[in-house]
Amino acid sequence: MRNTFAQTFYEAAREDPRLCVVVADISPAGAMDKLRTEFPERFINTGVAEQIMIGMCAGMALRGLKPFAYTIATFALFRPFEFVRDDLCYQNLPVTVVGIGGGVTYSTLGATHHAQEDVAIACAVPNLRVIAPCDPAETRAATRWCIAQEQGPVYLRLGKAGEPDLSSGAADPFEFGKLRFLKRGADLCILGYGPALKVALQIAERAQPRGVSASVVSVHTLKPLDEAGIAAVLTSHRRVVVLEEMAPRGGLGDAVKRIAWDSQSRCRIECFSLQDEFIHCYGKHEELLAAHGFSPAAILRKLDM
Amino acid sequence: MAKTWQAPLAAFDAAAARARCLGYRRRILDISQRVGALHAAPAFSCMEMADVIYHGLMRRGNPTEFHDLFLMSKGHGCMTQYVILEELGILASAELERYCTAEGILGAHPDRGNPGIEASTGSLGHGLGIAVGMAYAERLKRSDRQVYVMLSDGELQEGSSWEAAMMAGNLRLDNLNLFLDLNDFSGLERMSETHTAFYPVREKFEAFGWEALAVNGHDAQAVHAAAAARRGQRPFALIGKTVKGRGVAFMENVPIWHYRSPNKEEYAIAIRDLAEVSS
Ligand SMILES: Cc1ncc(C[n+]2csc(CCOP(=O)(O)OP(=O)(O)O)c2C)c(N)n1
């Protein structure tokens, strides 16, 4: 996803001289390095200094440039949080904050590198739009949207590297602010975002031979959330499962339950997320997810599949 | 009854330090072969200074109980701390074997609760603030404990580090000892080329009311002598001029070794060429 973002951004930056990237001592993966060589003035490295990364983006946006801030998710959002809130969101500036390694992707690096509450925090701030694409292709579409928009700030939550393609067979194209059906079914609907949607497709596969037809939806835009779309899903399906590699509070699961209550839905809803806990485990990504009870096996077991 | 603490050795055995550091580097290279990444170059960079702190400065009652406190603020340098704690018998070797596995307790950054680890670090620019708080607490408690903290130069790009430095100066924390691993590299670039206003460093600390001194950070003898000769009454910064990746020629000053582990061939070369480092 990181490389797809870089490639997409690089291609656009060749056309649009206002596009700049401000990083805080993060290595320029893939095409980001080309950008740095070809347009050194538009690749700014503040050093290990995330507050000035955001502050500079604000100033550059105020003077007509289109800056993207780019670093590891915890250092993109948590470290300079008040700068994101006051400088970018309060003043509603068109700056995209790109967080690499959303969730617990950096599994061996410990909680200092785990963006496990980022979506909840980002969604709480007025004006901040939140997008979490599920795979490289969706990253490309989301990045293009961020590049084209001039309205205000965005938090773009990406994975790292090697995410599988999940969306090439999608029923819908990427449309900002709208649910995207990767697969359409009738009985069960799995809602989720980010690379965790891989599990959703596995669930759908398991469901089929049991005569359960499943929809899989990429809720790539967490804010503004497609509430009407979710209400429709709750009407058209008997059972809804929410998957998110994020804290259990303040994310998609809570939002779906709220929408269900408000729309007096009788749909059965089951939510899976990370635990409300710092888990001191330093294994592989899958192992850390398992420690959170968020492994494919654990989810399938709880769903009786 | 007041406990008596063994004071650090007045005369520091530099030859023994060099031998220890050679062993630490070999041990880290060995562990690197079991994981994809382990920040070898950042560990090699601060090795002699960390060894001096543990073996020449911090006072202990018995081999596994320190009276003084140490924080690895540059958390990604923790392999250095782990191998020293192993050699001191504080961390079990079995835990180093399980480094960065789901079965073990050690990750790529220090985690409080693990043996010998005073604070969880890994996000840069936190350690100095915590150290200021610890030093102040020790002062309030009328304790004679010293606080040692290891920072990287990249960490000094964080504003938070300078907030802490200023506060330490305000409080005249004479029990605070900062060791700066000044290897001139952050993760990405050589700062003297790309972030020139970072320099001078010593003068910045002095302007904030610190006693500051620059020495060769790989010369254990010089590091020890400088720290032992501190005048007191103010926070103390020892600026160790270092080389990122020191000890393995092909890693020295080459940014990829910030994070990458050597492959089999590279490992063999590194082990073959390892020698004692004295400057
Ligand atoms: C707040 C924060 N931002 C970014 C990072 C990612 N990161 C890890 S090490 C590093 C830079 C390393 O350079 P330096 O601090 O000089 O340490 P060295 O390895 O050279 O000793 C960065 C940017 C981090 N750990 N914390």
Side-chain angles (χ1 to χ4, degrees):
Chain A
M1 287 168 103
R2 189 168 63 175
N3 288 348
T4 309
F5 167 80
Q7 183 62 31
T8 311
F9 188 85
Y10 167 72
E11 286 163 13
R14 285 172 57 169
E15 305 299 320
D16 186 346
R18 293 179 305 155
L19 281 171
C20 299
V21 65
V22 186
V23 309
D25 195 41
I26 195 95
S27 65
M32 202 57 89
D33 203 34
K34 277 200 277 183
L35 182 92
R36 183 194 191 192
T37 321
E38 286 175 39
F39 309 104
E41 288 186 328
R42 292 197 277 139
F43 178 96
I44 298 114
N45 176 20
T46 59
V48 195
E50 292 79 9
Q51 299 183 145
I52 181 63
M53 171 182 73
I54 300 296
M56 268 189 85
C57 282
M60 290 161 73
L62 280 167
R63 299 309 302 156
L65 297 178
K66 284 171 95 174
F68 277 52
Y70 174 96
T71 185
I72 295 171
T74 49
F75 309 132
L77 186 67
F78 297 167
R79 183 54 171 268
F81 177 67
E82 200 220 29
F83 293 74
V84 171
R85 179 183 178 273
D86 293 3
D87 299 356
L88 307 185
C89 300
Y90 185 30
Q91 310 187 62
N92 206 17
L93 299 177
V95 174
T96 300
V97 176
V98 184
I100 303 295
V104 294
T105 315
Y106 288 105
S107 57
T108 60
L109 301 189
T112 55
H113 287 61
H114 297 162
Q116 61 186 63
E117 334 80 323
D118 58 340
V119 170
I121 288 172
C123 285
V125 187
N127 289 340
L128 189 58
R129 279 82 49 83
V130 180
I131 311 179
C134 68
D135 71 351
E138 206 167 86
T139 299
R140 171 173 286 272
T143 304
R144 283 195 177 138
W145 185 85
C146 294
I147 288 167
Q149 70 92 25
E150 316 246 357
Q151 299 306 309
V154 184
Y155 174 58
L156 179 62
R157 182 204 224 212
L158 302 181
K160 199 171 67 178
E163 291 83 6
D165 163 60
L166 303 176
S167 67
S168 59
D172 305 329
F174 171 91
E175 194 185 334
F176 173 78
K178 288 274 173 287
L179 298 188
R180 183 187 191 196
F181 282 79
L182 300 182
K183 192 177 164 322
R184 272 186 203 280
D187 309 312
L188 166 70
C189 181
I190 307 144
L191 300 169
Y193 55 89
L197 271 177
K198 186 177 163 198
V199 188
L201 291 168
Q202 289 171 354
I203 298 171
E205 236 167 67
R206 297 268 189 119
Q208 202 172 15
R210 296 159 185 247
V212 178
S213 128
S215 298
V216 175
V217 176
S218 170
V219 190
H220 47 70
T221 308
L222 279 315
K223 193 182 177 183
L225 191 60
D226 183 0
E227 303 213 354
I230 289 174
V233 160
L234 290 164
T235 313
S236 56
H237 296 77
R238 278 184 287 114
R239 190 177 181 190
V240 163
V241 171
V242 182
L243 298 178
E244 54 189 326
E245 187 177 330
M246 216 277 296
R249 303 281 172 267
L252 182 60
D254 281 3
V256 169
K257 285 178 179 166
R258 175 176 51 75
I259 295 164
W261 176 264
D262 289 348
S263 61
Q264 297 182 336
S265 161
R266 313 200 55 153
C267 189
R268 181 174 164 196
I269 301 169
E270 287 143 292
C271 298
F272 295 92
S273 68
L274 301 177
Q275 302 298 310
D276 177 20
E277 211 181 311
F278 294 117
I279 294 188
H280 301 248
C281 165
Y282 306 99
K284 300 189 184 78
H285 187 204
E286 304 83 70
E287 290 171 322
L288 185 49
L289 291 178
H292 272 281
F294 194 69
S295 65
I299 293 167
L300 289 165
R301 198 173 340 106
K302 284 198 191 132
L303 291 174
D304 255 336
M305 295 219 188
Chain B
M1 203 181 74
K3 223 166 170 175
T4 50
W5 299 98
Q6 184 200 327
L9 301 171
F12 184 69
D13 185 346
R18 282 196 294 274
R20 279 194 303 270
C21 290
L22 178 65
Y24 300 148
R25 286 192 170 88
R26 184 174 293 130
R27 179 76 170 129
I28 291 174
L29 287 168
D30 286 345
I31 295 168
S32 78
Q33 294 307 287
R34 275 179 272 117
V35 291
L38 99 169
H39 293 114
F44 292 172
S45 179
C46 64
M47 186 136 281
E48 280 73 22
M49 286 195 286
D51 178 75
V52 168
I53 293 170
Y54 273 106
H55 282 279
L57 296 172
M58 290 211 288
R59 295 158 297 172
R60 38 187 154 138
N62 63 57
T64 58
E65 193 188 355
F66 278 95
H67 179 58
D68 297 318
L69 302 158
F70 174 74
L71 282 183
M72 186 60 107
S73 183
K74 53 168 274 187
H76 64 287
C78 63
M79 274 316 301
T80 286
Q81 192 179 11
Y82 291 166
V83 295
I84 294 175
L85 290 172
E86 176 188 32
E87 186 248 353
L88 288 167
I90 295 172
L91 254 182
S93 291
E95 286 307 339
L96 275 92
E97 305 296 328
R98 291 193 284 260
Y99 171 72
C100 279
T101 65
E103 297 74 41
I105 59 171
L106 299 179
H109 294 109
D111 198 359
R112 191 168 80 90
N114 282 336
I117 306 298
E118 302 287 348
S120 298
T121 51
S123 177
L124 295 168
H126 288 247
L128 189 55
I130 297 175
V132 167
M134 286 176 143
Y136 187 69
E138 294 306 317
R139 176 198 282 177
L140 278 192
K141 294 192 296 181
R142 309 276 181 264
S143 124
D144 70 343
R145 278 197 169 83
Q146 293 284 320
V147 178
Y148 294 88
V149 58
M150 177 76 71
L151 264 78
S152 55
D153 44 11
E155 264 191 298
L156 287 184
Q157 294 179 310
E158 292 283 3
S160 57
S161 295
W162 294 108
E163 295 178 21
M166 200 188 303
M167 197 59 197
N170 289 335
L171 294 168
R172 302 180 75 87
L173 290 172
D174 57 1
N175 55 350
L176 180 63
N177 305 266
L178 185 162
F179 284 64
L180 178 65
D181 182 3
L182 185 68
N183 57 32
D184 197 31
F185 275 89
S186 53
L188 196 52
E189 297 172 313
R190 197 189 262 282
M191 298 202 295
S192 56
E193 287 167 5
T194 57
H195 293 77
T196 51
F198 179 73
Y199 296 97
V201 175
R202 184 173 51 81
E203 287 84 340
K204 288 189 176 73
F205 279 101
E206 284 172 349
F208 281 157
W210 290 56
E211 175 185 350
L213 207 72
V215 298
N216 181 332
H218 295 298
D219 181 345
Q221 186 75 70
V223 169
H224 183 265
R230 69 170 288 196
R231 291 194 302 274
Q233 296 174 342
R234 289 188 290 165
F236 175 70
L238 186 141
I239 296 161
K241 291 194 179 153
T242 54
V243 175
K244 194 155 174 172
R246 187 79 181 97
V248 175
F250 65 81
M251 289 188 181
E252 292 185 1
N253 296 326
V254 179
I256 52 162
W257 299 107
H258 172 69
Y259 189 50
R260 220 185 95 185
S261 279
N263 65 27
K264 255 175 122 172
E265 293 75 44
E266 292 157 344
Y267 165 78
I269 296 168
I271 290 289
R272 188 195 65 204
D273 294 350
L274 263 188
E276 285 188 359
V277 167
S278 58
S279 65

